Amino acid sequence: MSEIQLVTSSLERASRRLRLNRALRGLWLGLLAGAGLWLLALAVYKVAPIPAQVLNLAAFCGAACAVGGFLFGGWRKPTLAATARWVDVQQNLKERMSTALEVANAPSDPLWRELVVHDAASHAKEIDPRSLVPFRLTRAAHWAVLLLAVAFGVGFIPEYRTQSFKKREADKAVIKDVGHGMAEVTRHELAARPPAAEPVRQSLEKVAALGDAFQKAELTRAEALKDLASVQDKIKDQLKELGKEPAMKRLDQAMRASGPNQPSGADLQKQMEALQKQLGTDKPDPEKTQQLKDKLEKLQDAARAMADKGNAGNEAARKELSESLAALSREAAEMGLNLPDLEQAINALAASDTDKFLKNLDASLSDLDKLNSLAKQMQQLSQQMEKLGKNLAEQLDKGQADLAQATLEKMIQQVQKSGLSPEQMQKLLDEVSKAVNPAKPYGQCSQHLSDAAKQMQAGDQAGAAKSLAAAAKELENLMQQFGDAQSLAATMEALKNASMCVGSGQCWSLCRKPGFKPGGRPGRAGVGTWADDDNGWLNDVPMSDQLVDNSGVQRPDMDPRGLSERDPSLNPALTPTKVKGQFSPGDRMPSITLPGVSIKGTSRIQFEEAATAAQSDADSALSQDKVPRAYQGPVKDYFDDLKK
Amino acid sequence: MSTEAQIAQFRQTYSALRAEIGKVLVGQDAIVDSTLIALFGGGHVLLEGVPGLGKTLLVRTLGEVLDLSFSRIQFTPDLMPADILGTNLVMETPNGRREFQFQRGPIFAHLVLADEINRATPKTQSAMLEAMQEKQVTAGGELRKLVEPFFVMATQNPIDQEGTYPLPEAQLDRFFFKLLVGYPTHAELSEVMARTTTGHKAETGKVLDRDRLLELMTLVREVPVASHVQDYAVRLVLATHPKTATAVAIANQYLRFGSSPRGAQTLLLAGKVRALANGRFNVSFEDIQAIAHAALRHRLILNFEAEAEGITTDHVIDQVIKEVPKTVEAVNA
């Protein structure tokens, strides 16, 4: 390595170290700036209601400052000449390095060049970049750490926010939450029950859009309530419009009568058929099967007890058990129940096969249990089926439009059959004729049924089928309208929920919890339960100025509550056995609480003794004038009373 | 002779000169060094100090140790230019004819001691101007070259100003260095006592002849200077120019005029000598700073405010050195 190369390599090493040092200095400076920025943002955030995103932004900027400082510091590579000058100054080399570099690259006297470079090379060996540029924490680093520590401390200080700001923020959060809930419910409604009518679909989509807008926009409570009220008004109008249709009232009544979440008539019929398939020809009575089951359980317990005792001396018991089981088997057979496992159990008992006997007994009990359960279901379904209309007229009258539609479909099939006897035709005609009046609320349905009846009378089976189909179609349309109305009602309910949430500042989930029961009647859900007086889209009674006699109106909800008709004489069990202030030796003393002192314990001396001692002390104090004059009278009276 | 040998010879000669002068002159090391630097730089020196500090002794001793012609001119108010330069006299030739012959004055020597130069009138002082700068004199209508090397070592007394004529700025500028001779220290004064109050007489020998001096003076000029060091010297000088963009604050406040380009030349040349004398082959910032006062103090003209406040040019130079950054990078930063 030549001398100039030695000089150059030494300087390059110093240059790299210098560059890294600059980068680190840049890092610390950037960190200082970033920490300052972060502290400033945090301090401002603690006293002023700036958005929390500003903190994130400040943190990002702080980190960027540190990284930027590092990059900026290390970006420029120091030139060799600059490094040489810097090293000359730092190492007190009297400009040897810089002159050598310059002379080496300049057309100068070669002898002088050699001398200068040689001199520089001899000093270049002394250059140690690590001691020349030691990495140590700069003042900026110390300040940065201090600022970060201060920022950490400031982080624990709670933010100061005005009450109005907190309220606004809470309102915003509630509105956002309500918007989310509203949009979710409405979209679910749209997906579950796609509206048939375009205006209804548009209304529901508008509500969903309003929910989205609530989530995005930062509205005030008043604005949100205004928007909700506006949409509610529109939906209410639509509901009113739908409610004008008389069929809607009938369908709504039918739905309310069956109760919410109840299967439709058609579904009930299907369930009934499925159950009958399972039971086959048996028609067990649930009460009797329950009795049978109870008996069998008792016998099973007895059999288990017998099995535990062993075989010795149990012959008589076994015989008795066998007879009881045989009687039970006969009883089941009389009820029409088939229990093969019971027969096998009897056989096993006869064969003294205890395990098999118990196993068969368990199996027969299980069969019986299953039969009992099916019988109960069958009974419930039968009860529900009894509520269903038996014919078209009843179905229409009870508002069971789906059943009526199914009945019409069956009728159409019958009418379209070619070989229909006159009796059958007459029967159909009678049924259709009877349904004309009940079908009046169902739009054109009554007219179509009337036409069908006339056509049947005239023997126009094709025309009758067409009219019946038109009636069925009319019913279908009405049911669709009813479905739309239900969707609107559900959305209306969601909007009311939303209004209540926004108005009361509660979140969406809280408003939908049990406490509030839309549609509930006052008093049903318990004391203090909210009731929606405005519920029911068909219950909008128009206001009237006319006088109304409400003397006969029964208002059980207005009955006085909280008063019991209890006998004024107390139950002996409720009479207190201890009188306050009395105690006897050996018993627990009543707790006496004085300011700062709590006295508890067990009495060890007679009350009379204690009272006498206290009285003598009191007399002594009174005689020695230790008691203030104003209190002497009351103290004397108190101890005189104790004597009595 | 190779450069390396010449450099070695320079150092040897320098040390020998110092040693010989030291035999006579006690202390005043800085003054001696500066004088030698000016000598090798080929410049004139103005020594200023109160009487009795050894100014004249220094120059006289220098004349003794250098194998050069030496002359001394005692400047007085009645001294005439012709007394310095020489004059045409009517002389009788061997063949009996009379003709004007130029009689050389004391200026025609290698080393001229101009003692108490400020006592001469400006007219006489200005007779030195051409000699000092051009190293020639014009007398009797003829141009006469002075012998090389030519040094003027002038002394002046800062007190006892009655009857003195301050040197004109133009003349001051022609001095390479202005050296302020200070009082000796306790030890130095004791040594002076010991040497001068006994029968002991120091003997000095010739150390350097003319030819070798000229060689060494040539060698000095070959010492390389890094561009940033040269730039520093330039910036130092520019910083003394009041009311300019390069001026430092103190220059604007207290200076009427700054240094001439001769100041920058002096800084660089003297720096080279100092570097060689200190065993280096290149000029450093330290060299420039070390000779800045001697090179610039007589080239700066103070304004009335500075005079009133007692500010000296040395104060200004100190501040200029402090304020002018060493590297261009520092300037840019």
Side-chain angles (χ1 to χ4, degrees):
Chain A
M1 190 184 278
S2 68
E3 287 180 324
I4 188 65
Q5 281 175 333
L6 183 71
V7 171
T8 311
S9 67
S10 297
L11 290 175
E12 274 173 353
R13 273 188 284 123
S15 169
R16 279 197 294 274
R17 185 90 175 174
L18 194 61
R19 190 181 183 188
L20 186 58
N21 192 45
R22 278 185 189 171
L24 287 175
R25 277 171 59 195
L27 172 73
W28 295 127
L29 277 173
L31 191 65
L32 176 64
L37 187 68
W38 165 246
L39 180 61
L40 183 70
L42 192 62
V44 172
Y45 179 73
K46 292 290 176 184
V47 293
I50 57 171
Q53 287 88 334
V54 172
L55 288 182
N56 297 335
L57 188 67
F60 176 77
C61 287
C65 278
V67 174
F70 183 82
L71 293 177
F72 184 76
W75 189 263
R76 272 190 313 151
K77 188 182 176 185
T79 59
L80 269 189
T83 309
R85 291 170 197 181
W86 185 80
V87 169
D88 279 338
V89 173
Q90 294 300 311
Q91 292 274 81
N92 196 23
L93 292 177
K94 306 279 173 67
E95 283 62 63
R96 281 187 173 91
M97 297 296 153
S98 51
T99 310
L101 267 189
E102 205 169 316
V103 167
N105 297 323
S108 57
D109 184 355
L111 288 170
W112 275 102
R113 188 189 305 159
E114 194 181 324
L115 281 172
V116 170
V117 171
H118 176 74
D119 186 35
S122 66
H123 284 84
K125 291 168 191 166
E126 298 165 11
I127 298 172
D128 178 16
R130 271 181 288 186
S131 61
L132 194 62
V133 193
F135 292 147
R136 60 167 72 100
L137 289 179
T138 61
R139 191 177 292 180
H142 290 124
W143 278 105
V145 170
L146 183 69
L147 285 186
L148 285 174
V150 171
F152 183 73
V154 169
F156 287 102
I157 299 172
E159 299 89 33
Y160 168 74
R161 296 288 183 268
T162 58
Q163 288 300 322
S164 62
F165 176 79
K166 285 181 187 169
K167 201 163 175 295
R168 275 203 307 277
E169 286 297 301
D171 285 351
K172 273 181 196 170
V174 165
I175 289 168
K176 206 171 261 188
D177 181 47
V178 164
H180 177 72
M182 210 162 72
E184 201 176 5
V185 165
T186 314
R187 292 221 164 85
H188 179 72
E189 188 66 40
L190 273 167
R193 246 186 323 211
E198 184 61 20
V200 174
R201 194 181 60 77
Q202 284 177 354
S203 295
L204 295 186
E205 281 175 353
K206 205 169 180 181
V207 173
L210 183 67
D212 291 341
F214 274 19
Q215 288 179 74
K216 285 176 193 166
E218 294 193 340
L219 299 172
T220 61
R221 183 193 283 194
E223 287 166 349
L225 285 173
K226 195 176 161 189
D227 289 351
L228 284 170
S230 160
V231 177
Q232 276 185 52
D233 285 346
K234 282 178 190 166
I235 291 181
K236 211 170 192 175
D237 289 344
Q238 282 186 321
L239 276 171
K240 263 186 191 172
E241 200 61 36
L242 286 171
K244 282 178 185 170
E245 187 69 49
M248 296 298 115
K249 198 162 257 180
R250 192 60 64 83
L251 290 171
D252 184 56
Q253 282 170 353
M255 193 195 73
R256 281 170 188 268
S258 63
N261 303 324
Q262 288 297 318
S264 64
D267 291 340
L268 277 175
Q269 278 181 339
K270 281 179 192 167
Q271 285 180 15
M272 192 73 161
E273 284 165 10
L275 212 58
Q276 275 177 343
K277 266 185 190 172
Q278 278 188 330
L279 285 170
T281 53
D282 298 341
K283 283 190 180 172
D285 182 356
E287 284 181 19
K288 286 181 179 172
T289 49
Q290 183 63 39
Q291 285 172 2
L292 211 60
K293 188 184 151 197
D294 294 342
K295 283 177 187 173
L296 193 59
E297 277 174 350
K298 279 179 187 172
L299 289 174
Q300 190 188 28
D301 291 343
R304 281 200 176 124
M306 195 179 73
D308 291 342
K309 283 177 185 174
N311 291 332
N314 283 341
E315 198 56 44
R318 190 183 298 171
K319 197 174 180 182
E320 193 183 340
L321 186 63
S322 178
E323 282 171 4
S324 300
L325 285 172
L328 203 65
S329 177
R330 279 197 299 279
E331 201 176 335
E334 282 169 12
M335 285 168 63
L337 300 177
N338 184 20
L339 297 172
D341 288 323
L342 192 58
E343 293 298 329
Q344 286 179 9
I346 293 165
N347 293 338
L349 184 63
S352 300
D353 189 348
T354 313
D355 289 341
K356 195 177 177 184
F357 164 65
L358 289 175
K359 203 174 175 182
N360 287 327
L361 209 57
D362 283 345
S364 58
L365 192 62
S366 170
D367 290 346
L368 202 55
D369 196 27
K370 207 178 280 177
L371 276 172
N372 185 29
S373 155
L374 288 173
K376 277 181 184 170
Q377 280 183 31
M378 190 73 175
Q379 192 180 28
Q380 282 174 359
L381 278 177
S382 301
Q383 283 169 358
Q384 285 178 351
M385 287 289 285
E386 278 171 14
K387 291 180 187 173
L388 299 181
K390 302 287 182 295
N391 54 34
L392 185 61
E394 277 185 22
Q395 286 163 351
L396 288 171
D397 194 38
K398 289 181 178 177
Q400 293 156 352
D402 55 337
L403 277 179
Q405 196 191 356
T407 309
L408 281 171
E409 297 290 341
K410 281 179 189 167
M411 282 181 174
I412 292 163
Q413 285 174 2
Q414 285 178 343
V415 168
Q416 281 174 341
K417 276 183 187 170
S418 52
L420 203 64
S421 65
E423 289 80 22
Q424 285 174 323
M425 182 58 96
Q426 186 58 42
K427 198 180 170 189
L428 277 176
L429 180 61
D430 289 347
E431 195 170 349
V432 171
S433 302
K434 277 182 193 170
V436 171
N437 276 337
K440 275 183 181 168
Y442 297 95
Q444 297 296 313
C445 191
S446 176
Q447 184 61 45
H448 292 312
L449 288 176
S450 174
D451 292 347
K454 283 174 190 168
Q455 284 158 346
M456 280 180 187
Q457 276 178 340
D460 181 7
Q461 288 187 4
K466 207 176 262 181
S467 297
L468 287 173
K473 183 71 184 167
E474 181 71 15
L475 279 177
E476 191 185 348
N477 287 341
L478 286 171
M479 280 195 295
Q480 278 181 346
Q481 274 187 30
F482 183 68
D484 287 358
Q486 279 183 309
S487 293
L488 283 175
T491 308
M492 188 71 186
E493 186 189 323
L495 285 169
K496 281 180 182 172
N497 265 336
S499 295
M500 196 185 67
C501 287
V502 174
S504 62
Q506 285 183 311
C507 67
W508 178 256
S509 55
L510 274 180
C511 284
R512 292 174 69 81
K513 275 193 171 173
F516 173 66
K517 193 173 170 64
R521 289 169 194 157
R524 276 198 177 178
V527 178
T529 304
W530 290 9
D532 184 10
D533 298 330
D534 198 24
N535 184 59
W537 52 281
L538 293 167
N539 295 339
D540 285 329
V541 181
M543 296 293 285
S544 169
D545 294 335
Q546 291 175 358
L547 293 173
V548 179
D549 178 17
N550 63 353
S551 56
V553 173
Q554 295 291 323
R555 294 293 302 272
D557 56 302
M558 298 297 284
D559 282 347
R561 290 162 186 246
L563 294 175
S564 61
E565 296 186 358
R566 189 186 285 170
D567 189 13
S569 58
L570 269 176
N571 188 320
L574 295 172
T575 309
T577 52
K578 288 186 178 178
V579 180
K580 195 179 176 188
Q582 289 184 351
F583 59 93
S584 53
D587 286 346
R588 296 281 298 172
M589 277 181 70
S591 172
I592 304 166
T593 306
L594 297 169
V597 185
S598 179
I599 302 169
K600 287 180 181 176
T602 308
S603 61
R604 297 189 183 282
I605 55 169
Q606 288 288 342
F607 173 70
E608 287 81 5
E609 288 175 31
T612 308
Q615 191 181 8
S616 66
D617 285 346
D619 287 340
S620 160
L622 285 169
S623 62
Q624 291 174 18
D625 279 340
K626 286 182 180 173
V627 179
R629 192 172 296 277
Y631 292 98
Q632 283 177 358
V635 170
K636 198 166 183 300
D637 292 342
Y638 175 74
F639 282 104
D640 288 342
D641 285 341
L642 275 181
K643 273 182 194 173
K644 290 170 192 171
Chain B
M1 191 185 288
S2 71
T3 308
E4 210 164 352
Q6 280 184 313
I7 292 166
Q9 190 188 22
F10 175 87
R11 285 180 194 158
Q12 190 188 347
T13 308
Y14 189 90
S15 303
L17 280 173
R18 283 220 56 183
E20 285 303 310
I21 293 169
K23 285 179 187 173
V24 178
L25 194 69
V26 178
Q28 305 289 10
D29 292 341
I31 299 296
V32 174
D33 279 335
S34 299
T35 309
L36 291 177
I37 286 170
L39 177 76
F40 286 109
H44 314 294
V45 178
L46 175 62
L47 293 157
E48 184 178 287
V50 294
L53 294 180
K55 302 184 291 293
T56 310
L57 179 65
L58 168 65
V59 182
R60 215 179 56 224
T61 310
L62 194 63
E64 287 170 9
V65 297
L66 295 173
D67 192 7
L68 301 172
S69 57
F70 174 76
S71 64
R72 172 176 179 164
I73 308 167
Q74 188 66 46
F75 278 64
T76 55
D78 58 349
L79 189 74
M80 298 303 287
D83 297 336
I84 299 169
L85 303 177
T87 185
N88 284 325
L89 295 176
V90 179
M91 300 290 285
E92 194 171 345
T93 58
N95 52 11
R97 285 186 61 191
R98 289 185 179 177
E99 59 182 15
F100 280 105
Q101 277 190 2
F102 182 75
Q103 190 67 40
R104 291 180 173 188
I107 197 82
F108 287 89
H110 290 118
L111 183 60
V112 177
L113 167 58
D115 207 10
E116 297 197 81
I117 191 170
N118 56 337
R119 292 203 175 275
T121 59
K123 181 183 175 185
T124 310
Q125 286 173 3
S126 60
M128 303 282 287
L129 281 175
E130 189 184 2
M132 288 170 75
Q133 180 59 33
E134 312 295 332
K135 299 195 174 157
Q136 62 184 25
V137 292
T138 309
E142 283 184 34
L143 194 73
R144 298 170 197 280
K145 282 273 177 192
L146 297 174
V147 288
E148 286 280 351
F150 175 69
F151 304 107
V152 174
M153 302 280 169
T155 67
Q156 70 174 6
N157 186 352
I159 57 167
D160 193 12
Q161 297 295 310
E162 198 176 343
T164 63
Y165 303 91
L167 293 176
E169 278 74 24
Q171 179 140 11
L172 277 174
D173 194 34
R174 278 161 172 75
F175 282 104
F176 193 80
F177 278 171
K178 178 184 178 182
L179 304 174
L180 302 179
V181 184
Y183 289 108
T185 61
H186 182 278
E188 287 167 358
L189 191 56
S190 299
E191 181 65 20
V192 169
M193 295 300 104
R195 286 194 195 178
T196 55
T197 55
T198 58
H200 168 263
K201 187 171 180 351
E203 293 293 331
T204 55
K206 300 287 182 189
V207 174
L208 188 64
D209 61 15
R210 176 181 171 270
D211 294 338
R212 276 174 58 202
L213 178 59
L214 285 173
E215 271 177 24
L216 294 179
M217 283 168 69
T218 310
L219 175 75
V220 160
R221 288 172 181 268
E222 289 172 6
V223 173
V225 186
S227 59
H228 61 287
V229 178
Q230 183 173 318
D231 182 66
Y232 177 63
V234 172
R235 281 187 286 113
L236 271 185
V237 169
L238 288 176
T240 63
H241 294 172
K243 316 297 183 218
T244 60
T246 52
V248 294
I250 196 166
N252 286 328
Q253 190 179 358
Y254 292 123
L255 292 186
R256 198 145 53 88
F257 297 103
S259 168
S260 66
R262 282 195 190 98
Q265 291 169 341
T266 307
L267 285 174
L268 219 53
L269 205 51
K272 288 182 177 189
V273 181
R274 190 173 184 276
L276 271 189
N278 288 344
R280 276 181 282 112
F281 306 105
N282 63 289
V283 183
S284 71
F285 290 123
E286 192 191 280
D287 295 327
I288 303 289
Q289 287 174 348
I291 43 85
H293 290 84
L296 298 178
R297 63 162 64 102
H298 54 292
R299 292 187 164 97
L300 306 182
I301 314 296
L302 296 170
N303 61 15
F304 176 75
E305 190 182 350
E307 301 280 0
E309 290 182 19
I311 300 291
T312 64
T313 51
D314 280 6
H315 285 127
V316 176
I317 293 164
D318 282 338
Q319 195 60 32
V320 167
I321 289 172
K322 203 179 283 180
E323 287 190 26
V324 174
K326 284 180 183 169
T327 56
V328 179
E329 284 81 0
V331 176
N332 293 337

